[in-house]
Amino acid sequence: MMTGLSIANQFDRTRLARVADGLAVAVAVSMPWSTSATGILLALWLLALIPTLDWADLRRTIATPAGGLPVLLFLLGVVGMLCADVTLIERWRGLDSFFKLLVIPLLLVQFQRSDRGLQVFIGYAVSCIVLLVLSTAAQFISAFSFIPMQWDHVLVKNAATQSGEFISCIFGLLFLAIDSCERRRWSWVIGLLLVVLGMVANIFYVATGRTALVIIPVLLVILAVRKLNGRGILVLFAGAIFVGGIGWFSSPYLRDRTIQIWTDFQSYEAADARNSSGERIEFWKKSAGFVREAPIFGHGTGTIESLFAKSVVGQSGASASATTNPHNQTFAVAIQLGLVGVTVLWAIWIAHLLLFRGSGLAEWIGLVIVVQNIVGSLFNSHLFDFVQGWVYVVGVGVAGGMALKNRTADKSAGLAP
C-alpha cells in the first residue's frame, strides 16, 4: 500500500514538473506582449513548481553565490523596510521590486533537472519574431494599418523595451549563425541572419531604444572574443560597420533619435530645459546627494519617491522633475540600501557572469542577458523594471540551470576538473 502511494506521489510530482516546465515556456512567450499575462503565468508556474522541489537541492543552490546573493539582496530590502521613514504602503511598493529575485534559485533548481530549458528560449525568440513581423507590417504595409500602434511606433510596451528584447534575440541568433557557419549549414546561416537583419532594421527604422545602441557594440566585442578567430573578428566588425553605416545614412529617424541626446543636453545646460537628457542628469545628481546623506545603509526601502518629491519643492526647469525611478540601477539600490546593498548588487552581477564562463549556447545566452542588464542599468533601473527585470530573472535562472546541468554532466564524463 505504501509503495503504491509512493509511486502515485512520484507520478504526480513528475506530471507537475512537466506542467511547471510548460508554464516556464509560456512565461517566456508572454513577456514581449503582456505584463498581465506574464504575472498570471508566473503565479501558475509557482503553484506547479513548489510541490516538485527537492528542498535539499534548493538549500544547496541558495548556498552558492549565483543562487544565494539574489536572496540576500531581497532580505536586505526587507530589513530596509524597518528603517524607512515613509508609509507602510510606500515601503511595500519599494519591496515589490525585490521580490522577483527570489525566483532565480527556484529556476536554477528546476532547470538543472529539466530538459526543456532550450524550449524556453525558443519560445521567447519565436514570440519576438512574431512581434517583429507584426510591428514591421503595421508600420510599412497599408493592409495592416488596422493594427493599433503606440506613440513610439510599437505594438505593445515601448521602444526601449522592444529594442532590448530584440537585442537579446539578435545576439543569441548570431551565436547560432556562427555555429551553423562552422558546421556549413548554409540554409540555417541565411535564415538566422535574415531574422537578425530584420530586428536590426526595426531598431534602426521603426522603434529605436537608445540604450540598445550602447549595448550593441559591447556585446559585439564580447561575441568576437568568445566565439571568433582573427579573420572572423574582421568579418564581424566589417559587417557591423557596413550595416550600421547604411542605417545611419538612410534613417533620419535613427539620426534624430541619436542626435537628440546631445541637443537635449545642450538645451539643459543652456536653459535648464526639461527634456529626457536634462531630467536624467538631474535624477543622477540628486541621487548622488541622497546617497551621501545615508551612504552605508541607505534611507530604507521605498523611500525613492518621497526623497525626489521633497527635492523638487520650490524648483523650476529640469530641477523640478520628480520621479520614482532614478534611471540607474546602482542608484536605485544605493538610495534605499546604501553601499551595503550596492555591494550585494554588484556581487550578484559578478556571480552570474562567472556562472556563464563556459562556451556553450546556454552559457552564451546567460552572458548576453547579464551583460545587457549591467550596461542597460547604467541608464535605467532594469533589474527593478517589470519586463527587463523578469527577462533577467528568467534568463539567468533557466540558462544558469542549463549551464550547471552541463557542468555536472561534463564532470561525470571526466571532461571537466
Side-chain angles (χ1 to χ4, degrees):
M1 183 68 176
M2 291 300 294
T3 302
L5 287 174
S6 177
I7 293 172
N9 288 336
Q10 185 60 42
F11 175 76
D12 289 341
R13 285 167 61 92
T14 302
R15 185 167 57 182
L16 276 175
R18 289 199 298 268
V19 171
D21 289 348
L23 286 168
V25 176
V27 167
V29 171
S30 72
M31 282 194 293
W33 296 94
S34 170
T35 55
S36 298
T38 300
I40 293 168
L41 289 167
L42 282 165
L44 294 174
W45 165 78
L46 276 172
L47 289 174
L49 176 70
I50 288 174
T52 74
L53 289 173
D54 184 317
W55 297 103
D57 287 345
L58 182 59
R59 285 194 298 271
R60 283 192 291 270
T61 298
I62 292 175
T64 67
L69 286 169
V71 176
L72 177 59
L73 187 58
F74 168 79
L75 293 176
L76 286 176
V78 173
V79 173
M81 292 179 67
L82 303 178
C83 59
D85 187 20
V86 293
T87 66
L88 183 59
I89 292 175
E90 289 174 297
R91 299 182 202 192
W92 184 258
R93 280 205 303 261
L95 185 65
D96 184 62
S97 300
F98 293 85
F99 270 108
K100 64 175 72 73
L101 297 172
L102 296 177
V103 171
I104 292 177
L106 299 178
L107 286 166
L108 289 173
V109 171
Q110 179 181 1
F111 286 94
Q112 283 184 74
R113 72 185 184 200
S114 173
D115 293 322
R116 299 185 67 181
L118 189 58
Q119 293 181 28
V120 175
F121 295 117
I122 291 173
Y124 179 77
V126 170
S127 189
C128 286
I129 291 169
V130 173
L131 179 61
L132 167 68
V133 172
L134 292 178
S135 172
T136 305
Q139 184 72 19
F140 296 109
I141 302 175
S142 58
F144 290 88
S145 60
F146 66 90
I147 299 176
M149 301 288 283
Q150 305 289 335
W151 66 270
D152 51 355
H153 310 293
V154 297
L155 294 178
V156 291
K157 307 191 191 308
N158 53 62
T161 299
Q162 180 172 289
S163 295
E165 292 162 348
F166 286 171
I167 288 297
S168 55
C169 289
I170 285 167
F171 282 91
L173 296 175
L174 278 175
F175 183 95
L176 291 174
I178 293 170
D179 189 65
S180 297
C181 187
E182 292 171 350
R183 298 169 185 266
R184 300 186 179 277
R185 297 176 176 173
W186 304 117
S187 59
W188 276 95
V189 173
I190 294 170
L192 291 166
L193 290 180
L194 284 174
V195 176
V196 167
L197 290 173
M199 289 183 171
V200 171
N202 189 279
I203 294 172
F204 284 177
Y205 297 100
V206 179
T208 302
R210 289 176 291 194
T211 301
L213 301 180
V214 180
I215 295 170
I216 287 173
V218 175
L219 288 174
L220 279 173
V221 171
I222 295 173
L223 177 63
V225 172
R226 288 286 295 266
K227 191 66 177 172
L228 298 173
N229 54 27
R231 182 180 177 184
I233 292 172
L234 289 175
V235 171
L236 176 67
F237 283 104
I241 292 170
F242 178 72
V243 171
I246 290 176
W248 180 259
F249 289 108
S250 63
S251 175
Y253 166 73
L254 174 64
R255 292 197 303 273
D256 290 344
R257 286 280 291 163
T258 306
I259 295 171
Q260 186 183 2
I261 299 172
W262 176 244
T263 57
D264 281 355
F265 175 74
Q266 288 179 313
S267 298
Y268 161 73
E269 285 283 284
D272 195 29
R274 293 185 67 167
N275 53 51
S276 176
S277 297
E279 289 181 346
R280 188 159 300 195
I281 292 169
E282 282 295 323
F283 296 157
W284 293 344
K285 287 180 179 178
K286 291 179 179 179
S287 295
F290 300 151
V291 173
R292 284 195 295 270
E293 292 170 3
I296 306 301
F297 300 108
H299 293 270
T301 304
T303 55
I304 292 175
E305 183 176 3
S306 174
L307 288 168
F308 274 102
K310 292 175 183 176
S311 74
V312 302
V313 175
Q315 301 293 315
S316 62
S319 301
S321 301
T323 185
T324 60
N325 178 359
H327 289 76
N328 178 282
Q329 186 63 57
T330 298
F331 279 141
V333 172
I335 291 169
Q336 300 177 92
L337 305 179
L339 296 179
V340 173
V342 169
T343 300
V344 177
L345 169 68
W346 278 90
I348 290 171
W349 280 330
I350 292 169
H352 290 161
L353 287 173
L354 294 174
L355 178 61
F356 300 118
R357 60 186 181 272
S359 58
L361 176 60
E363 289 82 359
W364 172 250
I365 292 172
L367 181 63
V368 167
I369 290 168
V370 177
V371 171
Q372 183 177 9
N373 192 267
I374 293 172
V375 178
S377 290
L378 297 174
F379 311 101
N380 305 277
S381 302
H382 271 171
L383 201 59
F384 287 169
D385 293 336
F386 186 91
V387 177
Q388 290 89 345
W390 278 110
V391 166
Y392 183 88
V393 167
V394 174
V396 167
V398 175
M402 294 170 67
L404 291 170
K405 182 179 180 181
N406 293 340
R407 204 169 295 165
T408 300
D410 289 344
K411 287 181 179 178
S412 298
L415 300 177

